[in-house]
Amino acid sequence: MGFEVSLDAFEGPIELLLHLIKTKKLDITRIAIAEIIDDYLALMQGITIDIDQAGEFLQVATLLLKYKVRCLLPVEQAEDETVEGVDHLVQLMQNKYYAVIADLLDTWQVEREGYYGGGMRPFLVEQAEKVEDALQDVTLLKLAIVFDHLQKNATEEQIKQTSLTVKDLTVTLAEQKQWLLEVYAQQRVYLGRVISNFSDKLKQVITFLAVLECIQEGLIAIISQELNDPLLFFTV
Amino acid sequence: MDKQLEEQIGCLEAILFVADEPVSLEILADLLDVTIQELQSLLKCLADKYQNWGGLQLLQDDGGISLVTKKRYASVIRRFKPERKKRLSRAALETLSIIAYQQPVTRVEIEAVRGVKCEKVLNRLLALGLIQDVGHKDTLGKPLLYCTTKAFLDYFGLKSIADLPQPHDLKL
């Protein structure tokens, strides 16, 4: 645009002035916008006005005015703060209100918990009894209820029939760490190679966990970041 | 006590004994073919009978009439059926309060009031039958809307949601 502003607080292109004000590097309250406009109008006296340049000036001047108004009249911000304050108060009141209601419900449930009978059936049992209903519209939640029901009502014989034998661990995590550090001391080896030493899945898992622990303790460094099969270096 | 009155009291007792939930005065009066006033008199007779005898008593609240065990036998019943009653947690009660007053309400709206995640609590309340989902809110993501159930009213001895205290009733 090329219009140069010449004020006590700033001298230079008007675009630079706008930039400095936008980035809050210059205080808009120190800028007399009326003076800028007067200077511009004086400059335009007697010459043919370029409509594009005039439009750009008008746009920049409007923005400057907007920033100055915002700065001089912080009403909007004050309103925001008030609204936030009111919102916060409403939130607090709501929380307090529901806390009081929760207290009341608690009192009622305590009052009624000593009674047993038709109108006082416990809900957990009642839900669990409706296994057939639950299966009509199966959801994960309903399956959980059915499972809970089956567990509670299973006979000892049934439990024995469905029980699983848990194998003892043939090797511990500490033992496997020790083994890794002895076998691969100061060597570079792929994780897949380390794991392939074992055909037993349980041992593979323990070995993998041992490798992770060694990495965490700095006993193994990962040289390549190959996701499928990283190259490990045993630093010890 | 005349024969007919004795029969009516017996009938009333039998209905309450098999009822799964509190029975309203209107239903009882209809079943026994008596007026509400006559029913009140029958209930008083039955209540008097249990006053100094047996392990049962009548419990009348907004939800209706129930035939329940006397409170002083609660400990022995708990020993007999230890798993039967569990109190609702504070989180569950607060969540229920919000649902009761704002229903139908979404999980996000509940969480906005409580300021914490409520998914687990909601699942538990759903499992207990105290709340139910009643459709989807017509907004982004179509979240589920939750409402309280009749089991909620029964559990707390209420006849309707309107029986819950209003804000001006509470001392905050």
Side-chain angles (χ1 to χ4, degrees):
Chain A
M1 182 194 293
F3 178 69
E4 295 275 326
V5 175
S6 178
L7 300 170
D8 292 342
F10 176 82
E11 275 193 26
I14 192 166
E15 291 89 350
L16 178 61
L17 174 66
L18 180 65
H19 173 74
L20 293 173
I21 287 165
K22 263 186 185 174
T23 54
K24 296 185 178 172
K25 287 176 182 160
L26 190 67
D27 181 7
I28 183 93
T29 57
R30 291 170 58 208
I31 305 297
I33 296 169
E35 206 174 311
I36 296 173
I37 292 168
D38 285 346
D39 287 351
Y40 182 76
L41 290 176
L43 189 73
M44 294 296 111
Q45 288 291 330
I47 60 165
T48 312
I49 295 174
D50 179 334
I51 196 77
D52 289 337
Q53 278 192 1
E56 283 176 22
F57 176 81
L58 195 63
Q59 189 185 8
V60 175
T62 309
L63 283 172
L64 288 172
L65 271 173
K66 184 178 142 189
Y67 291 133
K68 189 149 188 175
V69 167
R70 261 195 197 166
C71 194
L72 294 173
L73 300 170
V75 177
E76 201 178 327
Q77 192 186 349
E79 273 179 1
D80 283 349
E81 281 170 7
T82 313
V83 170
E84 272 178 25
V86 170
D87 283 349
H88 187 59
L89 193 63
V90 168
Q91 177 80 33
L92 282 175
M93 289 291 285
Q94 266 193 337
N95 288 348
K96 177 76 179 159
Y97 179 63
Y98 290 119
V100 172
I101 297 295
D103 284 342
L104 194 63
L105 294 181
D106 194 27
T107 311
W108 289 344
Q109 78 165 342
V110 171
E111 265 176 21
R112 294 169 70 82
E113 79 173 352
Y115 300 114
Y116 290 78
M120 306 286 153
R121 283 194 196 281
F123 302 102
L124 278 176
V125 174
E126 185 172 309
Q127 287 293 314
E129 281 169 358
K130 294 180 179 172
V131 174
E132 284 174 14
D133 290 349
L135 289 174
Q136 282 179 2
D137 184 20
V138 177
T139 64
L140 193 59
L141 185 67
K142 286 181 177 174
L143 283 176
I145 294 167
V146 173
F147 182 70
D148 188 47
H149 173 76
L150 290 174
Q151 269 196 322
K152 281 178 184 161
N153 292 285
T155 61
E156 278 191 24
E157 193 58 36
Q158 284 171 325
I159 292 167
K160 272 182 197 167
Q161 281 172 8
T162 55
S163 64
L164 296 170
T165 308
V166 178
K167 277 195 235 171
D168 282 343
L169 293 181
T170 48
V171 63
T172 67
L173 194 60
E175 284 169 355
Q176 203 64 354
K177 260 174 75 181
Q178 186 70 30
W179 178 84
L180 280 171
L181 297 173
E182 281 172 15
V183 173
Y184 293 108
Q186 295 292 320
Q187 288 185 37
R188 289 170 187 227
V189 60
Y190 284 100
L191 176 64
R193 175 77 195 83
V194 176
I195 301 292
S196 67
N197 282 306
F198 307 98
S199 54
D200 182 353
K201 271 193 181 168
L202 190 61
K203 276 193 179 172
Q204 288 179 347
V205 170
I206 293 171
T207 308
F208 181 66
L209 292 174
V211 169
L212 290 181
E213 275 212 8
C214 288
I215 291 170
Q216 196 180 27
E217 291 169 20
L219 304 172
I220 295 177
I222 301 172
I223 297 174
S224 79
Q225 295 285 355
E226 282 291 324
L227 195 64
N228 291 336
D229 196 6
L231 181 61
L232 309 173
F233 174 56
F234 287 75
T235 58
V236 181
Chain B
M1 194 183 288
D2 72 41
K3 197 81 180 167
Q4 193 194 356
L5 186 64
E6 210 170 290
E7 190 64 17
Q8 283 176 324
I9 292 171
C11 191
L12 177 62
E13 188 179 34
I15 292 166
L16 293 174
F17 177 75
V18 297
D20 286 338
E21 53 192 32
V23 191
S24 71
L25 290 176
E26 292 75 18
I27 290 174
L28 286 174
D30 190 41
L31 286 167
L32 296 171
D33 199 19
V34 294
T35 65
I36 296 287
Q37 287 77 15
E38 287 167 337
L39 177 67
Q40 294 282 19
S41 150
L42 293 174
L43 285 168
K44 188 174 180 316
C45 288
L46 193 55
D48 288 345
K49 173 188 156 188
Y50 288 125
Q51 182 77 39
N52 299 309
W53 176 88
L56 301 176
Q57 69 169 85
L58 291 185
L59 189 73
Q60 183 167 3
D61 53 36
D62 291 338
I65 316 285
S66 307
L67 184 61
V68 298
T69 56
K70 285 178 179 168
K71 219 169 184 176
R72 63 175 175 273
Y73 303 123
S75 61
V76 72
I77 295 171
R78 263 196 289 274
R79 289 214 306 278
F80 176 60
K81 298 224 168 203
E83 82 291 357
R84 294 202 71 171
K85 283 210 171 182
K86 281 179 183 172
R87 258 188 226 174
L88 292 171
S89 67
R90 182 78 197 171
L93 290 169
E94 282 184 13
T95 306
L96 269 178
S97 311
I98 296 164
I99 298 171
Y101 280 85
Q102 294 196 8
Q103 59 188 313
V105 62
T106 67
R107 177 176 59 80
V108 173
E109 287 163 348
I110 299 165
E111 288 173 352
V113 176
R114 291 200 62 224
V116 289
K117 294 269 180 195
C118 295
E119 199 168 355
K120 278 187 181 174
V121 177
L122 284 174
N123 283 341
R124 177 159 165 72
L125 293 174
L126 281 167
L128 294 174
L130 295 171
I131 60 166
Q132 61 183 346
D133 56 75
V134 290
H136 297 267
K137 188 169 183 177
D138 193 14
T139 184
L140 193 67
K142 304 276 181 198
L144 280 171
L145 286 163
Y146 297 101
C147 277
T148 53
T149 60
K150 183 161 187 315
F152 165 83
L153 297 175
D154 292 343
Y155 184 72
F156 292 106
L158 298 164
K159 191 172 185 179
S160 78
I161 283 294
D163 293 335
L164 283 169
Q166 294 306 302
H168 51 79
D169 299 330
L170 300 172
K171 285 181 185 174
L172 293 176

